[in-house]
């Protein structure tokens, strides 16, 4: 039986009153614990097992990591733990990572964002073949405003291959692709309730976006999909009765795309909105709220559950996991980061819109160099308008190639991926400039993945303060060793630690005196 779930039979033992003994007893989370008064009636202590002399003031039942979130999340997704390994883009969240999470009775998503269609297709077929009997795995569908056709094509691939879970991320508006994934396969069950074939988890960081996912799909989008033969009239009719997503992941201060909002402010706001919309539309099933962003320690995970999260999504700290698709050099750089070693930089996929993302700043100049490119893009209408001195500096210090050379690389890329981008660029010099500058942003992420040594100072590594907090937590422990840092060990230790800290907070509310040691958890090998 798993170390995480093995119950421990209660054994009568003398009450303890010293701070050290109380801390040790508090860590025995799988045993019921009694809060007892001392001989004088003023001091408080803890006891396990029967307490014959009637000095029990309160009792806490056993606590398991499995119980920290909402039970309906585990039931809906066929998992044991309310924990998700998030979809780190460009395949950094690998198929290996998704498979490991599925086998450990958790949920993981493949990082399809930023990949070419053929790469996504290979990964989806591999996962579908390996995990066909399981429902606790999924693939990311990322909003691609510059490539709506690719977004829709990926959505159809996920549905065609029977991907059971889809994580929709970076959406600002509902698109035909995300509505298709939500509505395809809806049917009535034997009890009259609406059954989903595919479950969607939607990442949001703004109330107005959350409202769109919490509401039924717009009639105009549903009608268009019916006319196109992508949905049946029956599916569209049922989609008008349910929210687009029944799991809303509130994304706070995360690595990569982020609005830098604190979870403590954002999650309660979205939860209130959820409650109001569920009442307005009369949904028969609860809509779950999850937490993502900034979750790199047991304290952060415990805080997310205390805020009311039904589940947690852990992302960028998994970049150092053994299964992560990131180079060893980039992983080493991440392992050196502290909480302040992050910066905001332009995002490759939304460069023209001025959208930024959070990246590692320690050991890399990517953030500063990418900002120089975006400043040039804002200030000029074309590559030709850039002053010679500025152009020479960009070519020498950032691109390490001439604009013409980069355009040839860029042109070859889009000939393979979407030739219409070349046509547009040739007609619009501003767009051509954007594509040239996006070459650097896209390449910088790839260099970090492949470990291109000559471009180490250009690595784009998505990272938030949680990575630094994680590094300080695991320093000198079992998880400090790279070989031990599997995605499952990270997950189990975060959950175990969150349960230990939750028990300590419970006891503190009873007035039990606790030292700081009671609010710490040291990682160890768990099975």
């Amino acid at each position: 039986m798993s170390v995480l779930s093995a119950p421990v039979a209660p054994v009568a033992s003398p009450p303890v009153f010293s701070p050290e003994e109380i801390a040790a007893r508090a860590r025995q989370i799988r045993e019921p614990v009694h809060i007892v008064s001392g001989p004088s009636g003023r001091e408080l202590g803890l006891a396990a097992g029967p307490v014959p002399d009637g000095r029990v003031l309160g009792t806490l039942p056993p606590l398991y990591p499995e119980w920290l979130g909402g039970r309906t999340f585990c039931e809906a997704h066929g998992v044991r733990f309310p924990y998700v390994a998030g979809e780190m883009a460009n395949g950094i969240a690998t198929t290996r990572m998704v498979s490991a999470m599925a086998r450990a009775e958790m949920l993981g998503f493949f990082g399809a964002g930023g990949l070419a269609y053929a790469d996504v297709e290979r990964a989806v077929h591999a996962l579908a073949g390996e995990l066909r009997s399981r429902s606790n795995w999924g693939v990311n569908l990322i909003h691609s405003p510059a490539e709506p056709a690719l977004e829709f094509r990926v959505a159809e691939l996920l549905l065609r291959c029977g991907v059971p879970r889809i994580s929709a991320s970076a959406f600002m508006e509902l698109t035909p692709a995300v509505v298709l994934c939500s509505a395809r396969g809806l049917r009535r069950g034997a009890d009259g309730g609406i059954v989903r074939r595919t479950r969607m988890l939607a990442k949001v960081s703004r109330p107005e976006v959350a409202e769109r996912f919490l509401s039924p799909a717009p009639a105009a989008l549903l009608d268009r999909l019916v006319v196109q033969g992508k949905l049946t009239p029956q599916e569209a009719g049922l989609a008008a009765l349910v929210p687009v997503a029944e799991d809303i992941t509130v994304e706070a201060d995360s690595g990569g795309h982020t609005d830098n909002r604190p979870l403590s402010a954002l999650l309660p706001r979205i939860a209130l909105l959820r409650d109001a919309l569920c009442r307005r539309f009369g949904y028969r099933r609860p809509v779950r709220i999850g937490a993502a962003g900034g979750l790199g320690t047991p304290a952060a995970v415990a805080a997310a559950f205390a805020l009311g999260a039904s589940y947690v999504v852990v992302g960028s700290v998994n970049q150092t996991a053994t299964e992560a698709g990131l180079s060893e050099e980039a992983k080493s750089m991440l392992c050196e980061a502290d909480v302040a070693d992050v910066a905001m930089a332009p995002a490759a996929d939304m460069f023209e819109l001025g959208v930024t993302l959070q990246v590692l700043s320690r050991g890399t100049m990517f953030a500063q160099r990418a900002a120089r490119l975006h400043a040039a893009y804002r200030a000029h209408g074309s590559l030709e308008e850039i002053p010679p001195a500025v152009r020479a500096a960009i070519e020498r210090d950032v691109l390490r190639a001439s604009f013409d050379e980069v355009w040839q690389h860029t042109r070859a890329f889009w000939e393979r991926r979407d030739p219409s981008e070349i046509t547009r660029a040739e007609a619009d010099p501003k767009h051509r400039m954007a594509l040239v500058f996006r070459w650097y942003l896209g390449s910088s992420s790839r260099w970090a993945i492949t470990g291109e040594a000559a471009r180490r100072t250009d690595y784009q590594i998505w990272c938030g303060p949680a990575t630094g907090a994680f590094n300080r937590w695991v320093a000198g422990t079992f998880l400090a060793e790279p070989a031990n840092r599997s995605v499952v060990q990270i997950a189990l230790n975060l959950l175990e630690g969150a349960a230990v800290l939750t028990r300590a907070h419970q006891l503190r509310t009873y007035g039990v005196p606790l030292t700081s040691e009671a609010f710490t958890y040291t990682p160890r090998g768990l099975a």
Side-chain angles (χ1 to χ4, degrees):
M1 185 172 289
S2 166
V3 170
L4 281 178
S5 66
V8 179
V11 177
S13 59
V16 297
F17 294 93
S18 74
E20 296 77 17
E21 290 176 312
I22 288 175
R25 186 63 55 83
R27 292 180 183 281
Q28 299 171 12
I29 59 173
R30 291 169 178 77
E31 297 180 16
V33 62
H34 307 293
I35 296 92
V36 298
S37 61
S40 68
R42 292 190 298 272
E43 58 187 344
L44 295 179
L46 299 180
V51 182
D53 56 5
R55 290 182 286 133
V56 176
L57 304 177
T59 299
L60 291 176
L63 176 63
Y64 295 87
E66 294 93 322
W67 298 352
L68 290 174
R71 302 295 179 87
T72 58
F73 177 84
C74 294
E75 294 168 359
H77 297 286
V79 294
R80 175 179 163 198
F81 300 99
Y83 185 102
V84 179
E87 63 279 10
M88 296 174 290
N90 287 338
I92 295 175
T94 60
T95 57
R96 284 182 59 213
M97 187 174 286
V98 175
S99 297
M101 292 297 290
R103 290 192 296 271
E105 299 179 88
M106 290 180 270
L107 180 58
F109 287 97
F110 175 72
L115 295 179
Y117 178 84
D119 295 326
V120 179
E121 186 176 37
R122 279 191 294 271
V124 169
H125 283 303
L127 287 168
E130 180 182 354
L131 302 174
R132 189 170 301 279
S133 62
R134 297 179 179 270
S135 63
N136 60 324
W137 64 277
V139 177
N140 175 225
L141 177 68
I142 194 168
H143 183 36
S144 304
E147 299 178 89
L150 174 62
E151 180 187 308
F152 195 85
R153 191 180 180 198
V154 169
E156 291 192 299
L157 169 69
L158 304 186
L159 294 170
R160 185 169 64 251
C161 294
V163 175
R165 303 292 182 267
I166 295 174
S167 178
S169 62
F171 282 85
M172 297 176 286
E173 300 282 350
L174 295 181
T175 67
V178 79
V179 170
L180 177 68
C181 290
S182 172
R184 176 75 67 81
L186 290 176
R187 61 179 178 82
R188 290 281 185 184
D191 62 353
I194 298 175
V195 179
R196 290 186 184 271
R197 188 178 73 185
T198 306
R199 292 188 179 270
M200 178 179 292
L201 287 77
K203 275 189 175 179
V204 303
S205 57
R206 295 171 177 266
E208 63 271 22
V209 177
E211 183 168 1
R212 295 177 184 116
F213 280 99
L214 286 164
S215 303
L221 279 178
L222 292 171
D223 291 344
R224 186 193 313 174
L225 290 168
V226 171
V227 169
Q228 293 172 346
K230 304 298 182 180
L231 289 177
T232 67
Q234 292 76 21
E235 289 170 333
L238 294 176
L241 304 176
V242 295
V244 174
E246 291 184 13
D247 293 278
I248 303 296
T249 303
V250 177
E251 188 173 27
D253 189 22
S254 61
H257 285 288
T258 180
D259 283 327
N260 302 111
R261 289 181 172 85
L263 188 66
S264 58
L266 188 59
L267 192 145
R269 170 70 177 88
I270 302 299
L272 286 173
L273 177 64
R274 181 269 315 270
D275 295 342
L277 292 172
C278 285
R279 288 192 296 270
R280 181 195 304 177
F281 294 112
Y283 298 140
R284 293 178 60 180
R285 288 196 297 265
V287 176
R288 296 166 289 272
I289 301 294
L295 305 181
T297 64
V301 173
F305 285 125
L307 283 169
S310 292
Y311 60 97
V312 294
V313 179
V314 175
S316 52
V317 299
N318 287 330
Q319 290 181 105
T320 62
T322 55
E323 302 91 347
L326 197 65
S327 68
E328 293 305 316
E329 180 67 19
K331 289 181 181 181
S332 297
M333 293 168 67
L334 277 171
C335 289
E336 296 298 320
D338 210 332
V339 293
D341 295 328
V342 298
M344 299 303 297
D349 55 344
M350 300 182 187
F351 180 81
E352 294 93 326
L353 300 176
V355 174
T356 58
L357 40 70
Q358 194 162 210
V359 297
L360 180 69
S361 61
R362 183 188 179 104
T364 171
M365 297 293 292
F366 168 76
Q368 297 94 315
R369 291 169 178 171
R372 288 174 64 183
L373 296 180
H374 198 262
Y377 173 79
R378 292 197 314 270
H380 306 289
S382 68
L383 293 172
E384 290 71 26
E385 290 181 17
I386 298 175
V390 175
R391 174 173 182 155
I394 289 175
E395 291 177 331
R396 180 188 65 246
D397 301 332
V398 181
L399 303 179
R400 300 192 197 177
S402 70
F403 286 174
D404 291 339
E405 289 173 314
V406 173
W407 172 241
Q408 292 307 313
H409 290 304
T410 302
R411 184 184 181 91
F413 171 82
W414 287 110
E415 282 177 347
R416 296 189 302 271
R417 182 154 173 156
D418 184 359
S420 68
E421 287 291 330
I422 301 173
T423 303
R424 180 183 169 193
E426 290 174 342
D428 181 359
K430 183 85 169 180
H431 185 60
R432 179 169 175 263
M433 176 170 54
L435 292 184
V436 167
F437 290 166
R438 282 170 56 186
W439 171 87
Y440 172 78
L441 276 68
S443 297
S444 61
S445 177
R446 185 174 65 254
W447 293 328
I449 291 171
T450 61
E452 186 71 30
R455 302 305 296 251
R456 185 181 186 277
T457 58
D458 293 296
Y459 284 3
Q460 178 184 177
I461 305 173
W462 300 309
C463 173
T467 297
F470 177 83
N471 288 337
R472 301 287 78 75
W473 171 52
V474 304
T477 73
F478 163 81
L479 282 181
E481 293 297 324
N484 296 332
R485 200 177 286 189
S486 70
V487 65
V488 171
Q489 282 299 322
I490 291 171
L492 295 181
N493 274 277
L494 284 172
L495 286 169
E496 182 78 4
V500 169
L501 269 63
T502 298
R503 170 54 61 84
H505 283 290
Q506 291 173 336
L507 292 170
R508 185 164 65 176
T509 63
Y510 278 86
V512 176
L514 295 168
T515 64
S516 60
E517 181 66 20
F519 293 89
T520 61
Y521 171 78
T522 301
R524 66 181 191 273
L526 298 172

